[in-house]
Amino acid sequence: MAEQLTPLADDRALLGRTSTAERVSDILRSRIAEGYFPPGTRLSEDGIGGALGVSRNTLREAFRLLTHERLLVHELNRGVFVRVLAVEDVEDIYRTRRLVECAVVRGLGEPPYALDALAEAVAEGRRAARETDWKGLGTANIHFHRELVALAGSERTDELMRSVFAELRLAFHVVDDPRRLHEPYLTRNQQILQALQTGDRDGAEKLLAVYLDDSLERIVDVYRRRVGQEG
């Protein structure tokens, strides 16, 4: 836990003088997504509160917000833990992704589309792959889908999917071979981008739908093998 709290202390400056539970929850959400607090980790109120310099009440409110987002779970008489997803959770995440992401692409309207951020996410993924940074490639993949959703220009949709993508990272953290999981989708991200660049909205949606189905199958396969090993 001490190693995890060291970088968290660096985040203290982000809080400023108007520290709020929302800002604390933003920091913790990011750290959970980045893997500093893997699934199953017990979060220490004293340790995290001390690292961020916030009151116990503020921290508990931040924990409550993240519990509502299904990133944390409170266990009676044991404390607060980073949630460990079940197969059913993963299936529900992908069901939501398919509904939202495909609808965003379907509703884009007439080209051209504002694709600079999407193209940068693809470039970010290529850089990570060249450096054999497979965790970084997973992050770039999330960025690609976040920017895809952002094409809708809807703050509500962005907010909804921010929590969904944070939950998705919890699923990624149980994968023992991140290269095998993420590398195939770098090319597929490029294909979706190219379809949108040429104005082929329908083609991009079809590519995305197959992409999400394949990704779900891979993740569920990993989960079931892990459950079998633990059983």
Side-chain angles (χ1 to χ4, degrees):
M1 190 70 177
E3 293 179 0
Q4 295 163 327
L5 294 177
T6 299
L8 195 63
D10 296 335
D11 291 329
R12 186 170 180 169
L14 299 176
L15 297 175
R17 294 184 178 180
T18 56
S19 173
T20 64
E22 287 82 4
R23 287 191 178 123
V24 173
S25 67
D26 285 344
I27 288 171
L28 293 179
R29 185 188 301 106
S30 295
R31 290 300 184 178
I32 290 168
E34 291 164 3
Y36 284 94
F37 300 115
T41 301
R42 182 181 180 277
L43 300 185
S44 164
E45 285 188 4
D46 291 339
I48 293 174
L52 291 176
V54 297
S55 70
R56 188 179 294 268
N57 285 341
T58 296
L59 187 59
R60 285 178 176 174
E61 175 62 12
F63 283 172
R64 187 191 68 78
L65 292 171
L66 295 177
T67 299
H68 181 70
E69 293 180 19
R70 296 176 297 276
L71 295 179
L72 302 181
V73 60
H74 180 268
E75 297 186 11
L76 190 62
N77 298 324
R78 295 193 64 219
V80 176
F81 295 79
V82 178
R83 192 157 172 248
V84 178
L85 300 183
V87 170
E88 292 77 15
D89 296 315
V90 177
E91 291 172 337
D92 195 38
I93 288 169
Y94 273 85
R95 187 178 302 115
T96 302
R97 290 187 67 191
R98 209 177 193 284
L99 285 170
V100 174
E101 293 186 50
C102 290
V104 166
V105 173
R106 191 181 316 123
L108 282 178
E110 295 302 315
Y113 310 120
L115 302 173
D116 288 350
L118 204 64
E120 174 52 35
V122 171
E124 178 190 352
R126 285 203 205 97
R127 289 192 295 270
R130 284 197 302 269
E131 296 166 5
T132 64
D133 178 7
W134 308 120
K135 180 179 176 182
L137 180 56
T139 296
N141 190 34
I142 292 289
H143 289 169
F144 177 86
H145 289 276
R146 187 179 66 194
E147 296 300 340
L148 188 70
V149 169
L151 292 175
S154 166
E155 291 185 6
R156 290 178 179 84
T157 305
D158 290 344
E159 183 72 17
L160 166 67
M161 295 306 290
R162 181 182 69 169
S163 296
V164 171
F165 289 140
E167 270 196 281
L168 181 63
R169 290 303 293 262
L170 294 182
F172 287 171
H173 293 323
V174 308
V175 175
D176 53 6
D177 187 355
R179 176 178 183 175
R180 181 173 177 269
L181 176 67
H182 299 304
E183 192 173 32
Y185 298 105
L186 181 56
T187 298
R188 297 173 83 161
N189 287 348
Q190 178 69 53
Q191 291 170 342
I192 292 170
L193 173 63
Q194 288 174 338
L196 291 174
Q197 286 172 331
T198 61
D200 185 6
R201 182 186 57 194
D202 292 342
E205 183 186 353
K206 290 175 183 176
L207 288 168
L208 178 61
V210 175
Y211 175 126
L212 292 173
D213 287 346
D214 289 348
S215 181
L216 171 60
E217 185 177 347
R218 281 174 176 262
I219 290 283
V220 167
D221 179 61
V222 169
Y223 260 71
R224 286 179 174 151
R225 283 190 285 109
R226 288 292 294 270
V227 169
Q229 290 170 1
E230 292 171 4

